[in-house]
Amino acid sequence: MKTFARGVEMKRLCLIFITLLCIISGCNSKTNQLPIPNAMPQEMPEDFNFMVRFGYGEVRKNEINTYKDQVVKDLIIKGTATADIALTTEEMRSIYKKMYEINVMGMQDVALTGSYCSKEPYNEESWQMTVDGAIQSLMWSDQHCDVTNEADQLLKLRKFIQQIVENKEAYKELPEAEGGYE
């Protein structure tokens, strides 16, 4: 009878031990993910290019495209206007440096949020980047109010790039937008 009681007690201890291991280790693979190492070379590669489209909702008419050296401006009710704008090597290096700092090629789950609210109009961005032969596509929206930390970093990056573009003479010559989004 003592042997049977010891066996039951050992099974109980094993079960408690396994349960504690699961609790301590987190059992949730999402929280245990290690950050993805930065696969981007520290120096800007020759093939570095990007394209970002942004705007309200599915109306992502604004575009900064270094693949084509073009910028498209949303004029709202007047349509769009396009300008040929090539960024300088120094501007591209400064943008690449910011992308490297936020590890843009390692970003995942940019669009995931836990919010259940909804707003209109909402901002939306889609990105495509080429770095050292690798292509990364990302998309995010603030339709559900909250954005991930990575989406916030992309928004700051886009505003940095947009500021560079808006200081170009060719951009300043584009017509002003008329109207608005509601």
Side-chain angles (χ1 to χ4, degrees):
M1 197 64 162
K2 282 187 177 185
T3 308
F4 177 75
R6 269 194 195 154
V8 170
E9 189 62 32
M10 287 301 286
K11 285 180 183 177
R12 186 177 292 159
L13 284 174
C14 283
L15 184 61
I16 291 171
F17 179 74
I18 290 170
T19 303
L20 285 174
L21 267 177
C22 281
I23 292 170
I24 291 170
S25 67
C27 286
N28 183 350
S29 63
K30 190 74 175 161
T31 50
N32 287 334
Q33 282 183 345
L34 296 174
I36 295 173
N38 200 333
M40 296 172 69
Q42 197 161 4
E43 295 298 317
M44 182 180 81
E46 289 291 319
D47 70 344
F48 170 61
N49 275 297
F50 64 90
M51 183 271 310
V52 58
R53 289 187 181 120
F54 57 97
Y56 292 101
E58 294 181 14
V59 185
R60 291 176 303 219
K61 294 181 184 176
N62 296 294
E63 181 179 304
I64 301 169
N65 188 329
T66 65
Y67 295 98
K68 296 180 180 178
D69 291 330
Q70 284 187 335
V71 173
V72 178
K73 180 180 178 183
D74 181 6
L75 303 176
I76 307 170
I77 63 170
K78 291 167 63 179
T80 61
T82 303
D84 292 328
I85 298 178
L87 300 178
T88 67
T89 302
E90 225 19 72
E91 290 166 336
M92 290 292 281
R93 279 192 184 118
S94 68
I95 293 165
Y96 183 84
K97 181 181 178 202
K98 290 200 178 287
M99 286 185 176
Y100 179 84
E101 288 170 356
I102 64 173
N103 191 14
V104 75
M105 296 301 280
M107 288 185 171
Q108 298 176 342
D109 301 331
V110 175
L112 298 180
T113 64
S115 179
Y116 294 101
C117 81
S118 184
K119 69 179 186 176
E120 296 258 349
Y122 58 91
N123 294 304
E124 191 165 271
E125 287 185 7
S126 63
W127 288 80
Q128 180 176 324
M129 295 147 283
T130 301
V131 174
D132 208 22
I135 297 173
Q136 171 74 299
S137 296
L138 301 167
M139 189 171 155
W140 70 270
S141 156
D142 66 358
Q143 180 180 12
H144 298 292
C145 304
D146 297 330
V147 296
T148 64
N149 181 50
E150 290 176 332
D152 188 52
Q153 290 174 333
L154 285 173
L155 175 61
K156 289 175 184 168
L157 174 63
R158 195 259 301 153
K159 287 181 177 181
F160 173 76
I161 296 167
Q162 189 175 359
Q163 188 174 28
I164 292 170
V165 168
E166 288 176 355
N167 285 323
K168 300 280 187 183
E169 199 57 42
Y171 187 87
K172 292 176 184 177
E173 293 172 2
L174 292 173
E176 289 297 315
E178 279 186 31
Y181 293 104
E182 295 183 30

